[in-house]
Amino acid sequence: MTDTAAFLRPATLDEACELKAAHPDATPIAGGTDLMVGLNFGHTRPAALLDLTAVPELRAWRRTDDAVELGAGVPYARVVAELGDDLPGLARASRTVGSPQIRRRGTVGGNIGTSSPAGDALPSLLADRAVIEVRSVRGVRQVPAGEFFLGPGRNVLADDEIVVSVRLPRARGPQQFAKVGTRNAMVIAVASVAVSLDLTANAVACAVGSAAPTVVVPEPAETYAADHLDWSGRTPLHPEVAARFGELVAEGTSPIDDVRASADYRRHAVSVVARRLLGWAWAEAVRPRGTEGTR
Amino acid sequence: MRVGLEVDGKARTADDVEVGESLLFLLRERLGLPGSKNACEQGECGSCTVYLDDEAVCACLVAAGQADGRRVVTVAGLSGDDGLHPVQQAFLDAGAVQCGFCTPGLVVAVHDLLRRTPDPGDAEIREALAGNLCRCTGYEKIFDAVRAAAR
């Protein structure tokens, strides 16, 4: 860290945007659960830190008729505690993040800004076609999650922009998330999958993490499942449909061999996890009336 | 930069704090408070767990500047004038301490668990302590201590 480095601590969103414009090389920090690791080990030496934890606008969420606008600085623990009914998929994913200590600090906005394909919140955002709001002194942009991420650690943010919030539709059916790793806590996903059912539109949504340079949406698998589920009769999921769905989800990925797993293992894991998630979600959908779409 | 905060009930100030420095470094190296342990420095082990305002977090993942104006309670701040906190006493009584390095973080994590869930089941204990690693005890004695402190 150089002597000229600055620790910037805005108290409002406007001030945060002004500081980011004045210090385009400043690295935003919220929970610090990713960034501080690099700082502690001397791998990262940002010219300045822009601490967003004192900006109240970023730490709130609000419910609209059909959506939730989730501030980028809302920590995972609050997503789990407060949004399990509106956003069950994201809440499930949030509960798998790190440990309790990490979930109290880490934020969905941090996952978005870090833009790792292994970010636990990201499959739910892409599956549910979330829209990310970014802001600068130049104005506000709404970026679909599917267009935000360009590669590992790369996204469409300009130097003067910060992630403000993400808008997700409120669940219209069961939502599932699961990830594969070496233990239940504190793992970076070897592969992760989100599956959402829309019982109003009779649609299936899916996204896969850690199995391509960005989180990917396997659209052919979504269409296949939507075409093969018995939406009106709610008869049990046919095992062949579930298996074919898993295969199609895996075909939508492009995994690599790395220290955490081989590409072949990832493809297999994605196929198995996707198959199971569709089964779990559909099992929720066929429960007696009155409990549909709830957990 | 200068960072002012409350630690274990006392107002403290540290000068010349570097921008990327952690709260853990500030506590141990600048304020001379070694209660919170430094092991992994990446949020994996939980041995630096402290309260930041009302939340138990890993001090190694909090930038020191983020703690400016806030209240920190370390394991040392849990005991009062009348001796050890019941959670600390339970760790001693149960033999939940071997090398002791993970103990400060575990004590804070258990304190936090019990104030929110006074009578936790095993699954709740497991989830609450998933971010605290112990390489000595095998966790059985730690579970005994949690159950004893809950009584």
mmCIF file of all heavy atoms in Angstrom, chain A residues 101-145:
data_model
loop_
_atom_site.group_PDB
_atom_site.id
_atom_site.type_symbol
_atom_site.label_atom_id
_atom_site.label_comp_id
_atom_site.label_asym_id
_atom_site.label_seq_id
_atom_site.Cartn_x
_atom_site.Cartn_y
_atom_site.Cartn_z
ATOM 1 N N GLN A 101 -20.151 -16.337 9.579
ATOM 2 C CA GLN A 101 -19.376 -15.089 9.625
ATOM 3 C C GLN A 101 -19.321 -14.437 8.243
ATOM 4 O O GLN A 101 -19.414 -13.214 8.110
ATOM 5 C CB GLN A 101 -17.934 -15.374 10.105
ATOM 6 C CG GLN A 101 -17.812 -15.705 11.597
ATOM 7 C CD GLN A 101 -17.876 -17.194 11.865
ATOM 8 O OE1 GLN A 101 -18.574 -17.925 11.173
ATOM 9 N NE2 GLN A 101 -17.142 -17.638 12.866
ATOM 10 N N ILE A 102 -19.132 -15.259 7.212
ATOM 11 C CA ILE A 102 -19.034 -14.742 5.836
ATOM 12 C C ILE A 102 -20.398 -14.217 5.392
ATOM 13 O O ILE A 102 -20.489 -13.176 4.733
ATOM 14 C CB ILE A 102 -18.566 -15.860 4.873
ATOM 15 C CG1 ILE A 102 -17.245 -16.479 5.332
ATOM 16 C CG2 ILE A 102 -18.477 -15.335 3.440
ATOM 17 C CD1 ILE A 102 -16.065 -15.604 5.240
ATOM 18 N N ARG A 103 -21.456 -14.934 5.720
ATOM 19 C CA ARG A 103 -22.797 -14.528 5.265
ATOM 20 C C ARG A 103 -23.257 -13.223 5.913
ATOM 21 O O ARG A 103 -24.108 -12.537 5.365
ATOM 22 C CB ARG A 103 -23.813 -15.637 5.554
ATOM 23 C CG ARG A 103 -23.580 -16.880 4.717
ATOM 24 C CD ARG A 103 -24.756 -17.818 4.753
ATOM 25 N NE ARG A 103 -24.909 -18.537 6.006
ATOM 26 C CZ ARG A 103 -24.292 -19.669 6.320
ATOM 27 N NH1 ARG A 103 -23.427 -20.212 5.474
ATOM 28 N NH2 ARG A 103 -24.517 -20.278 7.469
ATOM 29 N N ARG A 104 -22.714 -12.903 7.099
ATOM 30 C CA ARG A 104 -23.077 -11.635 7.727
ATOM 31 C C ARG A 104 -22.403 -10.453 7.042
ATOM 32 O O ARG A 104 -22.822 -9.313 7.213
ATOM 33 C CB ARG A 104 -22.668 -11.644 9.208
ATOM 34 C CG ARG A 104 -23.530 -12.569 10.025
ATOM 35 C CD ARG A 104 -23.096 -12.588 11.492
ATOM 36 N NE ARG A 104 -23.680 -13.783 12.086
ATOM 37 C CZ ARG A 104 -22.998 -14.760 12.653
ATOM 38 N NH1 ARG A 104 -21.683 -14.665 12.773
ATOM 39 N NH2 ARG A 104 -23.607 -15.815 13.126
ATOM 40 N N ARG A 105 -21.330 -10.699 6.318
ATOM 41 C CA ARG A 105 -20.564 -9.618 5.692
ATOM 42 C C ARG A 105 -20.746 -9.603 4.173
ATOM 43 O O ARG A 105 -20.916 -8.549 3.574
ATOM 44 C CB ARG A 105 -19.068 -9.775 6.012
ATOM 45 C CG ARG A 105 -18.717 -9.594 7.467
ATOM 46 C CD ARG A 105 -18.760 -8.152 7.908
ATOM 47 N NE ARG A 105 -17.763 -7.312 7.232
ATOM 48 C CZ ARG A 105 -17.743 -5.995 7.277
ATOM 49 N NH1 ARG A 105 -18.659 -5.353 7.966
ATOM 50 N NH2 ARG A 105 -16.817 -5.297 6.633
ATOM 51 N N GLY A 106 -20.643 -10.770 3.540
ATOM 52 C CA GLY A 106 -20.672 -10.852 2.087
ATOM 53 C C GLY A 106 -22.015 -10.408 1.531
ATOM 54 O O GLY A 106 -23.060 -10.591 2.154
ATOM 55 N N THR A 107 -21.973 -9.779 0.356
ATOM 56 C CA THR A 107 -23.182 -9.205 -0.233
ATOM 57 C C THR A 107 -23.395 -9.720 -1.652
ATOM 58 O O THR A 107 -22.447 -10.117 -2.330
ATOM 59 C CB THR A 107 -23.059 -7.676 -0.301
ATOM 60 O OG1 THR A 107 -21.987 -7.334 -1.190
ATOM 61 C CG2 THR A 107 -22.790 -7.078 1.071
ATOM 62 N N VAL A 108 -24.642 -9.662 -2.094
ATOM 63 C CA VAL A 108 -24.948 -10.037 -3.474
ATOM 64 C C VAL A 108 -24.237 -9.086 -4.438
ATOM 65 O O VAL A 108 -23.718 -9.492 -5.476
ATOM 66 C CB VAL A 108 -26.468 -10.039 -3.711
ATOM 67 C CG1 VAL A 108 -26.793 -10.332 -5.163
ATOM 68 C CG2 VAL A 108 -27.147 -11.070 -2.805
ATOM 69 N N GLY A 109 -24.173 -7.808 -4.063
ATOM 70 C CA GLY A 109 -23.465 -6.852 -4.905
ATOM 71 C C GLY A 109 -21.993 -7.203 -5.052
ATOM 72 O O GLY A 109 -21.398 -6.987 -6.115
ATOM 73 N N GLY A 110 -21.418 -7.729 -3.986
ATOM 74 C CA GLY A 110 -20.021 -8.165 -4.050
ATOM 75 C C GLY A 110 -19.838 -9.304 -5.035
ATOM 76 O O GLY A 110 -18.896 -9.322 -5.835
ATOM 77 N N ASN A 111 -20.757 -10.257 -4.992
ATOM 78 C CA ASN A 111 -20.726 -11.367 -5.950
ATOM 79 C C ASN A 111 -20.812 -10.843 -7.389
ATOM 80 O O ASN A 111 -20.113 -11.311 -8.276
ATOM 81 C CB ASN A 111 -21.920 -12.293 -5.704
ATOM 82 C CG ASN A 111 -21.532 -13.725 -5.358
ATOM 83 O OD1 ASN A 111 -22.375 -14.604 -5.420
ATOM 84 N ND2 ASN A 111 -20.297 -13.983 -5.030
ATOM 85 N N ILE A 112 -21.668 -9.834 -7.583
ATOM 86 C CA ILE A 112 -21.848 -9.262 -8.915
ATOM 87 C C ILE A 112 -20.568 -8.551 -9.356
ATOM 88 O O ILE A 112 -20.065 -8.770 -10.465
ATOM 89 C CB ILE A 112 -23.052 -8.300 -8.922
ATOM 90 C CG1 ILE A 112 -24.355 -9.078 -8.711
ATOM 91 C CG2 ILE A 112 -23.107 -7.497 -10.227
ATOM 92 C CD1 ILE A 112 -25.576 -8.198 -8.457
ATOM 93 N N GLY A 113 -20.019 -7.724 -8.464
ATOM 94 C CA GLY A 113 -18.824 -6.974 -8.823
ATOM 95 C C GLY A 113 -17.615 -7.860 -9.044
ATOM 96 O O GLY A 113 -16.822 -7.633 -9.956
ATOM 97 N N THR A 114 -17.474 -8.897 -8.201
ATOM 98 C CA THR A 114 -16.342 -9.808 -8.340
ATOM 99 C C THR A 114 -16.451 -10.619 -9.631
ATOM 100 O O THR A 114 -15.451 -10.960 -10.264
ATOM 101 C CB THR A 114 -16.263 -10.737 -7.112
ATOM 102 O OG1 THR A 114 -16.067 -9.936 -5.960
ATOM 103 C CG2 THR A 114 -15.129 -11.730 -7.231
ATOM 104 N N SER A 115 -17.671 -10.946 -10.025
ATOM 105 C CA SER A 115 -17.930 -11.587 -11.327
ATOM 106 C C SER A 115 -17.192 -12.910 -11.513
ATOM 107 O O SER A 115 -16.740 -13.233 -12.616
ATOM 108 C CB SER A 115 -17.576 -10.632 -12.479
ATOM 109 O OG SER A 115 -18.346 -9.458 -12.404
ATOM 110 N N SER A 116 -17.057 -13.660 -10.426
ATOM 111 C CA SER A 116 -16.527 -15.017 -10.565
ATOM 112 C C SER A 116 -17.639 -15.940 -11.055
ATOM 113 O O SER A 116 -18.767 -15.848 -10.572
ATOM 114 C CB SER A 116 -16.028 -15.530 -9.211
ATOM 115 O OG SER A 116 -15.904 -16.942 -9.242
ATOM 116 N N PRO A 117 -17.338 -16.838 -11.995
ATOM 117 C CA PRO A 117 -18.376 -17.795 -12.406
ATOM 118 C C PRO A 117 -18.798 -18.730 -11.275
ATOM 119 O O PRO A 117 -19.814 -19.410 -11.379
ATOM 120 C CB PRO A 117 -17.723 -18.558 -13.561
ATOM 121 C CG PRO A 117 -16.256 -18.324 -13.422
ATOM 122 C CD PRO A 117 -16.089 -17.003 -12.743
ATOM 123 N N ALA A 118 -18.014 -18.742 -10.179
ATOM 124 C CA ALA A 118 -18.357 -19.580 -9.027
ATOM 125 C C ALA A 118 -19.166 -18.814 -7.982
ATOM 126 O O ALA A 118 -19.488 -19.370 -6.937
ATOM 127 C CB ALA A 118 -17.087 -20.138 -8.388
ATOM 128 N N GLY A 119 -19.498 -17.567 -8.231
ATOM 129 C CA GLY A 119 -20.277 -16.801 -7.255
ATOM 130 C C GLY A 119 -21.605 -17.490 -6.962
ATOM 131 O O GLY A 119 -22.392 -17.737 -7.869
ATOM 132 N N ASP A 120 -21.864 -17.774 -5.689
ATOM 133 C CA ASP A 120 -23.036 -18.602 -5.345
ATOM 134 C C ASP A 120 -24.361 -17.928 -5.668
ATOM 135 O O ASP A 120 -25.361 -18.600 -5.918
ATOM 136 C CB ASP A 120 -22.998 -18.967 -3.860
ATOM 137 C CG ASP A 120 -21.892 -19.958 -3.537
ATOM 138 O OD1 ASP A 120 -21.662 -20.868 -4.354
ATOM 139 O OD2 ASP A 120 -21.269 -19.815 -2.477
ATOM 140 N N ALA A 121 -24.401 -16.594 -5.646
ATOM 141 C CA ALA A 121 -25.670 -15.902 -5.905
ATOM 142 C C ALA A 121 -25.985 -15.822 -7.395
ATOM 143 O O ALA A 121 -27.140 -15.596 -7.776
ATOM 144 C CB ALA A 121 -25.629 -14.487 -5.323
ATOM 145 N N LEU A 122 -24.973 -15.983 -8.223
ATOM 146 C CA LEU A 122 -25.155 -15.635 -9.632
ATOM 147 C C LEU A 122 -26.070 -16.578 -10.412
ATOM 148 O O LEU A 122 -26.848 -16.104 -11.252
ATOM 149 C CB LEU A 122 -23.795 -15.478 -10.322
ATOM 150 C CG LEU A 122 -22.869 -14.438 -9.650
ATOM 151 C CD1 LEU A 122 -21.592 -14.242 -10.469
ATOM 152 C CD2 LEU A 122 -23.585 -13.108 -9.468
ATOM 153 N N PRO A 123 -26.018 -17.899 -10.193
ATOM 154 C CA PRO A 123 -26.954 -18.742 -10.960
ATOM 155 C C PRO A 123 -28.419 -18.340 -10.747
ATOM 156 O O PRO A 123 -29.191 -18.293 -11.708
ATOM 157 C CB PRO A 123 -26.666 -20.157 -10.448
ATOM 158 C CG PRO A 123 -25.230 -20.106 -10.051
ATOM 159 C CD PRO A 123 -25.051 -18.731 -9.451
ATOM 160 N N SER A 124 -28.786 -18.011 -9.506
ATOM 161 C CA SER A 124 -30.174 -17.595 -9.261
ATOM 162 C C SER A 124 -30.490 -16.300 -10.004
ATOM 163 O O SER A 124 -31.594 -16.138 -10.529
ATOM 164 C CB SER A 124 -30.419 -17.416 -7.762
ATOM 165 O OG SER A 124 -30.263 -18.649 -7.084
ATOM 166 N N LEU A 125 -29.527 -15.380 -10.043
ATOM 167 C CA LEU A 125 -29.780 -14.116 -10.747
ATOM 168 C C LEU A 125 -29.998 -14.360 -12.240
ATOM 169 O O LEU A 125 -30.884 -13.764 -12.855
ATOM 170 C CB LEU A 125 -28.610 -13.140 -10.567
ATOM 171 C CG LEU A 125 -28.220 -12.709 -9.158
ATOM 172 C CD1 LEU A 125 -27.263 -11.516 -9.211
ATOM 173 C CD2 LEU A 125 -29.418 -12.363 -8.322
ATOM 174 N N LEU A 126 -29.182 -15.228 -12.827
ATOM 175 C CA LEU A 126 -29.329 -15.459 -14.270
ATOM 176 C C LEU A 126 -30.569 -16.287 -14.575
ATOM 177 O O LEU A 126 -31.285 -15.998 -15.541
ATOM 178 C CB LEU A 126 -28.072 -16.110 -14.860
ATOM 179 C CG LEU A 126 -27.077 -15.042 -15.324
ATOM 180 C CD1 LEU A 126 -26.128 -14.666 -14.210
ATOM 181 C CD2 LEU A 126 -26.356 -15.445 -16.587
ATOM 182 N N ALA A 127 -30.820 -17.309 -13.739
ATOM 183 C CA ALA A 127 -32.005 -18.130 -13.986
ATOM 184 C C ALA A 127 -33.260 -17.264 -13.946
ATOM 185 O O ALA A 127 -34.142 -17.388 -14.790
ATOM 186 C CB ALA A 127 -32.094 -19.253 -12.948
ATOM 187 N N ASP A 128 -33.320 -16.365 -12.977
ATOM 188 C CA ASP A 128 -34.529 -15.585 -12.796
ATOM 189 C C ASP A 128 -34.516 -14.268 -13.567
ATOM 190 O O ASP A 128 -35.348 -13.392 -13.322
ATOM 191 C CB ASP A 128 -34.780 -15.356 -11.300
ATOM 192 C CG ASP A 128 -35.062 -16.678 -10.602
ATOM 193 O OD1 ASP A 128 -35.676 -17.558 -11.240
ATOM 194 O OD2 ASP A 128 -34.636 -16.857 -9.452
ATOM 195 N N ARG A 129 -33.573 -14.165 -14.507
ATOM 196 C CA ARG A 129 -33.528 -13.003 -15.412
ATOM 197 C C ARG A 129 -33.538 -11.701 -14.626
ATOM 198 O O ARG A 129 -34.317 -10.769 -14.919
ATOM 199 C CB ARG A 129 -34.700 -13.057 -16.399
ATOM 200 C CG ARG A 129 -34.457 -13.867 -17.677
ATOM 201 C CD ARG A 129 -34.024 -15.285 -17.450
ATOM 202 N NE ARG A 129 -34.021 -16.073 -18.710
ATOM 203 C CZ ARG A 129 -33.731 -17.362 -18.768
ATOM 204 N NH1 ARG A 129 -33.402 -18.032 -17.669
ATOM 205 N NH2 ARG A 129 -33.745 -17.982 -19.927
ATOM 206 N N ALA A 130 -32.683 -11.654 -13.625
ATOM 207 C CA ALA A 130 -32.566 -10.438 -12.818
ATOM 208 C C ALA A 130 -31.984 -9.303 -13.650
ATOM 209 O O ALA A 130 -31.312 -9.536 -14.660
ATOM 210 C CB ALA A 130 -31.665 -10.712 -11.610
ATOM 211 N N VAL A 131 -32.258 -8.096 -13.206
ATOM 212 C CA VAL A 131 -31.715 -6.902 -13.867
ATOM 213 C C VAL A 131 -30.862 -6.153 -12.853
ATOM 214 O O VAL A 131 -31.314 -5.848 -11.745
ATOM 215 C CB VAL A 131 -32.837 -6.002 -14.403
ATOM 216 C CG1 VAL A 131 -32.258 -4.721 -15.002
ATOM 217 C CG2 VAL A 131 -33.660 -6.757 -15.451
ATOM 218 N N ILE A 132 -29.623 -5.885 -13.242
ATOM 219 C CA ILE A 132 -28.664 -5.238 -12.345
ATOM 220 C C ILE A 132 -28.665 -3.743 -12.629
ATOM 221 O O ILE A 132 -28.538 -3.327 -13.786
ATOM 222 C CB ILE A 132 -27.260 -5.846 -12.556
ATOM 223 C CG1 ILE A 132 -27.262 -7.325 -12.143
ATOM 224 C CG2 ILE A 132 -26.201 -5.065 -11.777
ATOM 225 C CD1 ILE A 132 -26.089 -8.123 -12.662
ATOM 226 N N GLU A 133 -28.818 -2.943 -11.560
ATOM 227 C CA GLU A 133 -28.790 -1.489 -11.744
ATOM 228 C C GLU A 133 -27.415 -0.966 -11.358
ATOM 229 O O GLU A 133 -26.926 -1.249 -10.261
ATOM 230 C CB GLU A 133 -29.862 -0.803 -10.887
ATOM 231 C CG GLU A 133 -29.883 0.707 -11.098
ATOM 232 C CD GLU A 133 -31.027 1.393 -10.361
ATOM 233 O OE1 GLU A 133 -32.189 0.992 -10.595
ATOM 234 O OE2 GLU A 133 -30.762 2.300 -9.560
ATOM 235 N N VAL A 134 -26.797 -0.239 -12.295
ATOM 236 C CA VAL A 134 -25.503 0.369 -12.004
ATOM 237 C C VAL A 134 -25.643 1.877 -12.153
ATOM 238 O O VAL A 134 -26.491 2.365 -12.904
ATOM 239 C CB VAL A 134 -24.382 -0.177 -12.917
ATOM 240 C CG1 VAL A 134 -24.304 -1.679 -12.825
ATOM 241 C CG2 VAL A 134 -24.586 0.252 -14.358
ATOM 242 N N ARG A 135 -24.825 2.589 -11.403
ATOM 243 C CA ARG A 135 -24.986 4.041 -11.378
ATOM 244 C C ARG A 135 -23.626 4.725 -11.414
ATOM 245 O O ARG A 135 -22.632 4.210 -10.916
ATOM 246 C CB ARG A 135 -25.729 4.439 -10.097
ATOM 247 C CG ARG A 135 -26.114 5.911 -10.064
ATOM 248 C CD ARG A 135 -26.780 6.263 -8.763
ATOM 249 N NE ARG A 135 -28.132 5.697 -8.671
ATOM 250 C CZ ARG A 135 -29.169 6.354 -8.172
ATOM 251 N NH1 ARG A 135 -29.023 7.592 -7.738
ATOM 252 N NH2 ARG A 135 -30.342 5.786 -8.081
ATOM 253 N N SER A 136 -23.624 5.895 -12.005
ATOM 254 C CA SER A 136 -22.451 6.765 -11.975
ATOM 255 C C SER A 136 -22.969 8.199 -11.972
ATOM 256 O O SER A 136 -24.187 8.430 -12.030
ATOM 257 C CB SER A 136 -21.555 6.534 -13.200
ATOM 258 O OG SER A 136 -22.214 7.019 -14.358
ATOM 259 N N VAL A 137 -22.047 9.151 -11.931
ATOM 260 C CA VAL A 137 -22.488 10.553 -11.998
ATOM 261 C C VAL A 137 -23.147 10.841 -13.344
ATOM 262 O O VAL A 137 -23.868 11.821 -13.495
ATOM 263 C CB VAL A 137 -21.306 11.531 -11.774
ATOM 264 C CG1 VAL A 137 -20.836 11.461 -10.333
ATOM 265 C CG2 VAL A 137 -20.160 11.247 -12.736
ATOM 266 N N ARG A 138 -22.906 9.943 -14.338
ATOM 267 C CA ARG A 138 -23.498 10.143 -15.666
ATOM 268 C C ARG A 138 -24.946 9.668 -15.726
ATOM 269 O O ARG A 138 -25.664 9.979 -16.668
ATOM 270 C CB ARG A 138 -22.672 9.406 -16.725
ATOM 271 C CG ARG A 138 -21.251 9.981 -16.895
ATOM 272 C CD ARG A 138 -20.432 9.149 -17.854
ATOM 273 N NE ARG A 138 -20.133 7.835 -17.316
ATOM 274 C CZ ARG A 138 -20.439 6.681 -17.905
ATOM 275 N NH1 ARG A 138 -21.065 6.673 -19.055
ATOM 276 N NH2 ARG A 138 -20.104 5.527 -17.344
ATOM 277 N N GLY A 139 -25.349 8.857 -14.769
ATOM 278 C CA GLY A 139 -26.723 8.373 -14.791
ATOM 279 C C GLY A 139 -26.831 6.922 -14.352
ATOM 280 O O GLY A 139 -25.895 6.356 -13.793
ATOM 281 N N VAL A 140 -28.004 6.336 -14.627
ATOM 282 C CA VAL A 140 -28.320 4.982 -14.178
ATOM 283 C C VAL A 140 -28.445 4.071 -15.397
ATOM 284 O O VAL A 140 -28.948 4.493 -16.446
ATOM 285 C CB VAL A 140 -29.653 4.988 -13.396
ATOM 286 C CG1 VAL A 140 -30.073 3.581 -13.011
ATOM 287 C CG2 VAL A 140 -29.537 5.863 -12.162
ATOM 288 N N ARG A 141 -27.947 2.848 -15.278
ATOM 289 C CA ARG A 141 -28.127 1.845 -16.341
ATOM 290 C C ARG A 141 -28.753 0.606 -15.741
ATOM 291 O O ARG A 141 -28.415 0.199 -14.626
ATOM 292 C CB ARG A 141 -26.774 1.424 -16.925
ATOM 293 C CG ARG A 141 -26.159 2.379 -17.892
ATOM 294 C CD ARG A 141 -25.177 1.635 -18.793
ATOM 295 N NE ARG A 141 -24.015 1.099 -18.082
ATOM 296 C CZ ARG A 141 -23.296 0.077 -18.530
ATOM 297 N NH1 ARG A 141 -23.629 -0.553 -19.649
ATOM 298 N NH2 ARG A 141 -22.235 -0.353 -17.856
ATOM 299 N N GLN A 142 -29.680 -0.006 -16.493
ATOM 300 C CA GLN A 142 -30.262 -1.292 -16.099
ATOM 301 C C GLN A 142 -29.666 -2.350 -17.031
ATOM 302 O O GLN A 142 -29.885 -2.299 -18.236
ATOM 303 C CB GLN A 142 -31.782 -1.276 -16.281
ATOM 304 C CG GLN A 142 -32.484 -0.070 -15.671
ATOM 305 C CD GLN A 142 -32.733 -0.220 -14.193
ATOM 306 O OE1 GLN A 142 -32.643 -1.326 -13.659
ATOM 307 N NE2 GLN A 142 -33.029 0.872 -13.523
ATOM 308 N N VAL A 143 -28.918 -3.286 -16.459
ATOM 309 C CA VAL A 143 -28.251 -4.292 -17.281
ATOM 310 C C VAL A 143 -28.805 -5.671 -16.931
ATOM 311 O O VAL A 143 -28.703 -6.100 -15.774
ATOM 312 C CB VAL A 143 -26.725 -4.280 -17.042
ATOM 313 C CG1 VAL A 143 -26.023 -5.250 -17.983
ATOM 314 C CG2 VAL A 143 -26.161 -2.877 -17.179
ATOM 315 N N PRO A 144 -29.380 -6.375 -17.898
ATOM 316 C CA PRO A 144 -29.811 -7.745 -17.602
ATOM 317 C C PRO A 144 -28.622 -8.584 -17.116
ATOM 318 O O PRO A 144 -27.519 -8.464 -17.669
ATOM 319 C CB PRO A 144 -30.329 -8.257 -18.945
ATOM 320 C CG PRO A 144 -30.667 -7.021 -19.727
ATOM 321 C CD PRO A 144 -29.683 -5.980 -19.281
ATOM 322 N N ALA A 145 -28.864 -9.417 -16.084
ATOM 323 C CA ALA A 145 -27.767 -10.217 -15.536
ATOM 324 C C ALA A 145 -27.101 -11.050 -16.626
ATOM 325 O O ALA A 145 -25.885 -11.265 -16.602
ATOM 326 C CB ALA A 145 -28.287 -11.116 -14.413
#
